[in-house]
Amino acid sequence: MSIRVLHTIAELRAALAGQPVVGFVPTMGNLHQGHLDLVRIARPRSSVVVASIFVNRLQFGPNEDFDRYPRTMEADVAVLSSAGCDLVFAPDERELYPQPQGYKVHPPAELADILEGHFRPGFFVGVATVVHKLFNIVQPHLAVFGQKDYQQLMIIRNMVQQMALPIEIIAGPTTRAEDGLALSSRNGYLSAQERAEAPQLHALLQRMGQRVREEGVQAIPAIEAEAMTALAARGWKPDYLTIRRRTDLQAPTDPQEPLVALAAAKLGTTRLIDNLEI
């Protein structure tokens, strides 16, 4: 069937009635190849694939880019159709938040107030609240999230588990440009010179991972400090370059536990994030 764009909860629920396996890809629009790869993961597992497009005010801080976040609905619908999406749920704020959202989902501080949550206070409350609400609206059997947003993926997985939601959460591998830069809607803000520099973030994560494998977990503090210095020397403003346990994003102590390197840094006025499992 051709792709349909629905703007109300009632329309969406009517369209999904009787579908045996609903696959869901939540987005904020301004889509790139990484989003389409998530749709392609959902497609063979689902009888119907829904993508939502909603720029969620709750997850933007007071000095962040909510108003200038690109709204590209027509182009988004076209590329979603080519990727095999069936339904686009594109509510306005009045539909999703008819009253101020007083009830919110607060993830545990030990996971939500570190890394991204430290530098963007309240971000994961906004994310968890809108995702939980969208899950209630769509009632998917499976939902696909990108691994580029590593901490967000972990928080959503844990929320689904603790709330006993009957949803399979599937991680989509990070989609990268040929030079290694993780695809992101925010890459469009980069100047040509910044775009040429941006792959250095991924390259630095690779070097950090190599050093941990060679030098062991006891060297992590030095590796992190040197990485921060190296990135700053290239003109970036790093928020964090760190190596954590994959299980809970805390500092590792056991050399055998699976690790992940995570980074967030500003290049010019654009904040980029990336990660690499070690």
Side-chain angles (χ1 to χ4, degrees):
M1 64 180 182
S2 61
I3 195 165
R4 295 171 60 197
V5 182
L6 306 173
H7 299 285
T8 71
I9 295 169
E11 288 175 323
L12 180 70
R13 286 181 170 162
L16 292 176
Q19 288 289 344
V21 183
V22 176
F24 182 39
V25 180
T27 84
M28 293 207 303
N30 192 29
L31 303 183
H32 53 69
Q33 193 61 47
H35 294 107
L36 304 185
D37 287 345
L38 304 183
V39 172
R40 294 188 182 104
I41 290 170
R43 178 70 276 167
R45 297 168 164 85
S46 312
S47 61
V48 62
V49 177
V50 182
S52 62
I53 296 177
F54 181 70
V55 185
N56 177 40
R57 190 185 297 270
L58 292 186
Q59 68 194 67
F60 285 81
N63 300 312
E64 294 183 334
D65 53 1
F66 175 80
D67 288 324
R68 76 178 184 122
Y69 192 90
R71 275 76 165 173
T72 54
M73 180 66 69
E74 191 173 333
D76 291 345
V77 172
V79 294
L80 284 169
S81 180
S82 70
C85 183
D86 301 304
L87 299 173
V88 176
F89 178 49
D92 63 17
E93 284 194 288
R94 290 185 304 275
E95 181 69 14
L96 210 60
Y97 301 130
Q99 305 93 29
Q101 189 71 27
Y103 290 84
K104 295 178 181 177
V105 179
H106 287 258
E110 63 268 20
L111 182 56
D113 292 353
I114 61 172
L115 303 174
E116 284 301 284
H118 175 75
F119 289 95
R120 303 179 69 187
F123 172 68
F124 287 118
V125 173
V127 169
T129 299
V130 78
V131 169
H132 200 297
K133 192 161 192 175
L134 288 167
F135 282 169
N136 287 334
I137 291 165
V138 178
Q139 298 188 9
H141 299 83
L142 60 94
V144 190
F145 291 83
Q147 201 164 356
K148 182 180 80 73
D149 298 293
Y150 201 91
Q151 189 176 4
Q152 172 179 284
L153 173 64
M154 181 175 290
I155 284 170
I156 290 166
R157 274 194 193 283
N158 290 358
M159 178 183 76
V160 165
Q161 180 184 18
Q162 289 197 13
M163 297 291 196
L165 302 179
I167 303 168
E168 179 188 2
I169 300 299
I170 299 171
T174 300
T175 303
R176 299 185 181 277
E178 288 186 9
D179 57 11
L181 177 64
L183 296 193
S184 167
S185 299
R186 289 193 165 91
N187 292 352
Y189 298 150
L190 297 169
S191 69
Q193 184 177 358
E194 289 165 350
R195 175 60 187 82
E197 168 66 20
Q200 290 299 322
L201 191 64
H202 181 237
L204 192 53
L205 288 174
Q206 289 178 310
R207 289 197 292 275
M208 291 172 71
Q210 184 64 33
R211 285 191 60 189
V212 171
R213 285 189 289 269
E214 292 171 354
E215 301 173 35
V217 294
Q218 70 278 359
I220 285 176
I223 293 169
E224 292 175 339
E226 289 166 28
M228 292 279 282
T229 301
L231 200 62
R234 301 185 67 94
W236 296 65
K237 297 186 183 74
D239 283 343
Y240 58 84
L241 285 139
T242 187
I243 295 164
R244 300 295 176 95
R245 294 193 295 239
R246 290 188 211 171
T247 51
D248 58 7
L249 298 184
Q250 299 301 310
T253 53
D254 181 349
Q256 302 303 316
E257 58 197 353
L259 305 177
V260 59
L262 306 110
K266 271 191 175 178
L267 182 56
T269 60
T270 305
R271 189 173 184 274
L272 302 178
I273 67 170
D274 202 352
N275 65 80
L276 189 67
E277 290 186 337
I278 300 170

